Amino acid sequence: MLADAFIKLRGNRAVNLIRTFIRSPWYLAMNVLLMVCAELFSLELPVFYIYFAVILLVFLFDEDMLGIMVLIPCHYFSISASNNPGKHVETLFSDPVQMTQLVILISVYAVLFTARLVSLLLLGGKRKVPSLTFGFLVLAVAFVAGGAASGYWGKRTFLFGLVEAISLSAVYFYFYFTVNWKKTPEHYGMMVFLALGAGLVLEIVGMYFMPDAVSGTTVNRNAFYTGWGIYNNVGCAMAICLPAPFYFAIKRKEGWIFSLLGIVYYLAVMLSQSRNAMLFGTLLFVVCVIVVLFRTKGWERWKNLIVYGAFALVALIASIVFRDRIAALFHAIGEIGFNDSARFDTYRACWKRFLEAPWFGSGFYHTPGTVLQPETGMWTTMDGALDSTGFLPPRAHNTLFQILASGGVFLLIAYLFHRVQTGILFFRRLTTEKFFVFLCVGVLLLTSLLDCHLFNFGPGLVYSALLVFAEGDDLRRGGSKSERLFRARKKKNGVSADNG
C-alpha cells in the first residue's frame, strides 16, 4: 500500500526484494512451518503475532493481497490439540487474557483487509462480476431461509446459514478483487496446497504422539485429534492437498521427485485413519497416477512409472512380510470394519424430516445428526431439536441429506445451480492447473457425502480459496477466446479493454 502511495518506493530495491520473497516458495514454506510449530507445540499466539507482522508486510509493500491467501488456511490449521475446546476445558479460548488478544488481532485484521480492499477497488480499475456471484447469492438466500414456513425457522438458523454462506464464498470474493491475477505466478495455487500438504503430513505424524494414541503395537485412532478437528477432518484436509505434488510431477523437469512426494502425501492420508479419506484418497491417488503417466512423455514418463511400480512392489512385499504390524497399525479400522456409525439411521431420519417440510426444510437446528456419545464411544442419531445450546448443530454427515432436511427443495435447487456454475468454471477453457484444482474440490465434495466437511467452516474457507484459484487461472490467461478477441479488437482500435 505504501508502494502504491509513494511512487519512489516502487523501484526501491528493498521493496522489490520483499515482493519477490512474498511470491516465492520460501515464503509459503515459512508460513507453513510456523503453522506446524503452532499446532504441535501450542504456540498459537506467538505464531499469530508473527503472522500479523507478515500481513503488515504484505499490506504495506506488496502490490496486492496474494501473499495473504496461504495465511487463511494456516491460521485454521494452527490450532493445537491442547487448545481443542471440544476436548479440554481450559484452552486458549477459555482464557480471558488470550481471548482478548485474539479479538484485538481479528479486529485489526478486519480494518487492514477492508482498507486494502477499498484501495484496490479504487485504484485497480473496473473488473467484471465474478462468474459464481449469482449462484452464491442464491445459495446464501437458501441457507438463511432454511426452515421457513415449517415453524422451526429462527435467529440461530438464520445466523448459522449466514455464517455457512460466508465461509463458502468470502475468500473467493475477497481475493478475486484484491489480487492482480494477471501478475500472479504460474502454478501459485498448487504451490500453496503443496506447502500446506507438507505441513499436514507433519501434523498427522504428530497425532501418533498423542496420549493413548499408541498402546504397545496397537494404534487407537480415537485418540487422534488436533485443535481444529479429529482424524476425519485431518484426513479430508490431507486428501485435498494430495493432487498438488502430482501436478508438479507433470509440470516440472525430473517430476518423478514430486511423484515420490505424492506417495508420501497418500501414505499420510492412510495414516490419518479416516475411512472416508482413505477410500476417496485411494481413488484420487489412482486418478492422479493415471493422469501423470498420460501427460508425461519419454524418459519423464518412464521415471514416474518406475516410481509408481516400485511403490506398488514395496507395498505388496510389506503387506506380506509386515502383515501383523500393519494390522496393529490399522487396528481401529479393522475393529470398526464396515460399521456405518449410525449414518444410515441418520439419513433415514433426515429423509423423514424432509418429507415433513419439503419446500424449505426444517432448519439446521432441527435436522437429525450423527453424534458421538463420549460416555459410550458409540455413534447415535440425535434429533436436531434436542440440541439447544451449541452454535454448531448436529449434522447429517452427508451433504445432500443435510440440504434436504435443513433447506428442502429450495436449498437443493440453489446448491445444484452452484454446482453447475462451478462445473462451467472448471471445464470452460480447461487447463492442467484448473483440472488439479477440480480434483482438490472433488475429493472434498466426495468425502462430504459421508461426513459434514462442507458444513464445517474451515473446509469452507479452503473450498472458497480453491474456487478463486480456478477463476484466477482464467483471468491470468485472459478469459475465454471471445473475450481475448474482443480485447484484441479494442486494443487495435486504440481503446484499453483491460479489466484488471
Side-chain angles (χ1 to χ4, degrees):
M1 194 169 185
L2 281 177
D4 294 330
F6 300 99
I7 298 176
K8 289 183 179 181
L9 287 178
R10 296 181 188 178
N12 183 275
R13 184 179 179 183
V15 171
N16 289 337
L17 285 174
I18 291 172
R19 288 183 169 184
T20 301
F21 173 68
I22 289 172
R23 290 165 187 265
S24 72
W26 298 108
Y27 171 82
L28 299 177
M30 176 194 75
N31 287 301
V32 169
L33 183 59
L34 288 168
M35 173 193 88
V36 173
C37 290
E39 198 282 322
L40 294 182
F41 305 111
S42 302
L43 297 173
E44 292 95 324
L45 267 181
V47 167
F48 288 169
Y49 279 116
I50 297 174
Y51 281 162
F52 175 65
V54 172
I55 289 172
L56 275 180
L57 203 66
V58 175
F59 177 79
L60 294 174
F61 297 109
D62 204 10
E63 60 183 295
D64 60 23
M65 295 291 274
L66 181 67
I68 305 298
M69 288 204 69
V70 69
L71 295 178
I72 303 298
C74 276
H75 276 83
Y76 174 61
F77 295 139
S78 290
I79 309 301
S80 65
S82 62
N83 283 312
N84 186 321
K87 301 288 185 179
H88 304 283
V89 175
E90 295 184 4
T91 68
L92 166 71
F93 306 104
S94 63
D95 186 322
V97 175
Q98 296 186 82
M99 271 303 296
T100 299
Q101 294 178 68
L102 283 177
V103 170
I104 292 172
L105 278 175
I106 292 170
S107 301
V108 176
Y109 284 173
V111 172
L112 293 178
F113 281 29
T114 302
R116 194 63 168 136
L117 173 63
V118 172
S119 68
L120 287 170
L121 287 176
L122 293 176
L123 300 174
K126 293 182 179 180
R127 296 193 185 212
K128 65 179 183 180
V129 176
S131 63
L132 303 181
T133 299
F134 185 65
F136 268 129
L137 287 175
V138 174
L139 194 61
V141 172
F143 274 132
V144 300
S150 68
Y152 295 126
W153 188 89
K155 292 180 180 179
R156 284 206 305 166
T157 289
F158 175 87
L159 184 59
F160 181 85
L162 181 62
V163 174
E164 174 67 15
I166 290 172
S167 75
L168 293 174
S169 62
V171 172
Y172 169 80
F173 284 113
Y174 184 83
F175 289 99
Y176 177 89
F177 288 108
T178 59
V179 171
N180 186 341
W181 291 101
K182 291 183 179 179
K183 293 185 178 181
T184 300
E186 191 176 5
H187 322 305
Y188 191 83
M190 284 295 102
M191 282 196 296
V192 168
F193 283 89
L194 184 74
L196 287 172
L200 290 174
V201 169
L202 297 177
E203 292 193 8
I204 288 172
V205 172
M207 291 197 303
Y208 281 77
F209 292 89
M210 295 289 293
D212 303 321
V214 180
S215 177
T217 59
T218 302
V219 175
N220 174 27
R221 72 168 186 162
N222 291 323
F224 285 3
Y225 64 92
T226 63
W228 50 273
I230 62 171
Y231 52 85
N232 280 333
N233 308 108
V234 178
C236 174
M238 189 69 240
I240 291 171
C241 297
L242 178 59
F246 295 100
Y247 170 83
F248 290 103
I250 294 172
K251 288 293 185 177
R252 293 285 192 249
K253 191 175 182 181
E254 302 298 335
W256 63 271
I257 298 174
F258 288 98
S259 287
L260 280 175
L261 186 59
I263 290 171
V264 172
Y265 281 23
Y266 171 63
L267 291 175
V269 171
M270 302 300 286
L271 288 175
S272 72
Q273 303 270 355
S274 167
R275 291 180 299 165
N276 193 5
M278 292 166 73
L279 170 64
F280 291 113
T282 298
L283 175 63
L284 180 62
F285 176 73
V286 172
V287 170
C288 288
V289 167
I290 293 173
V291 172
V292 169
L293 294 178
F294 179 77
R295 290 296 308 274
T296 52
K297 297 179 181 179
W299 276 110
E300 288 296 321
R301 176 181 292 172
W302 278 106
K303 291 173 185 176
N304 284 301
L305 187 59
I306 290 170
V307 168
Y308 301 141
F311 170 63
L313 181 61
V314 169
L316 177 61
I317 294 172
S319 65
I320 297 172
V321 177
F322 303 107
R323 181 178 58 185
D324 292 339
R325 292 187 179 182
I326 293 174
L329 175 63
F330 295 103
H331 170 75
I333 301 295
E335 276 196 336
I336 197 170
F338 292 99
N339 188 307
D340 70 317
S341 299
R343 279 171 170 77
F344 290 116
D345 288 340
T346 300
Y347 301 159
R348 283 188 284 269
C350 285
W351 181 253
K352 181 180 178 181
R353 188 57 58 84
F354 164 67
L355 294 178
E356 293 172 359
W359 297 112
F360 295 97
S362 301
F364 291 100
Y365 293 90
H366 292 265
T367 296
T370 307
V371 179
L372 178 65
Q373 301 295 342
E375 299 82 7
T376 62
M378 301 294 291
W379 291 89
T380 59
T381 298
M382 177 180 284
D383 189 324
L386 298 177
D387 176 68
S388 59
T389 56
F391 180 68
L392 286 178
R395 281 151 294 164
H397 284 65
N398 176 282
T399 302
L400 295 179
F401 281 109
Q402 180 80 57
I403 285 172
L404 287 172
S406 302
V409 173
F410 182 36
L411 180 54
L412 178 64
I413 292 174
Y415 178 75
L416 292 177
F417 180 70
H418 174 65
R419 287 273 67 87
V420 170
Q421 282 202 316
T422 54
I424 293 172
L425 170 63
F426 284 124
F427 293 102
R428 179 191 61 202
R429 295 190 69 239
L430 183 65
T431 63
T432 303
E433 185 165 4
K434 284 174 71 174
F435 178 75
F436 275 84
V437 172
F438 163 75
L439 292 180
C440 296
V441 171
V443 76
L444 171 59
L445 298 181
L446 287 173
T447 53
S448 295
L449 293 178
L450 295 173
D451 219 311
C452 47
H453 299 305
L454 272 188
F455 292 90
N456 291 331
F457 304 135
L461 297 174
V462 175
Y463 170 78
S464 191
L466 287 164
L467 293 183
V468 78
F469 277 130
E471 184 100 49
D473 188 70
D474 274 353
L475 295 174
R476 183 171 59 81
R477 296 173 186 277
S480 66
K481 184 176 180 181
S482 60
E483 289 170 336
R484 295 198 307 274
L485 290 173
F486 172 76
R487 280 195 297 272
R489 286 195 298 268
K490 297 282 278 186
K491 186 175 182 180
K492 185 177 180 180
N493 294 331
V495 179
S496 174
D498 189 359
N499 65 1

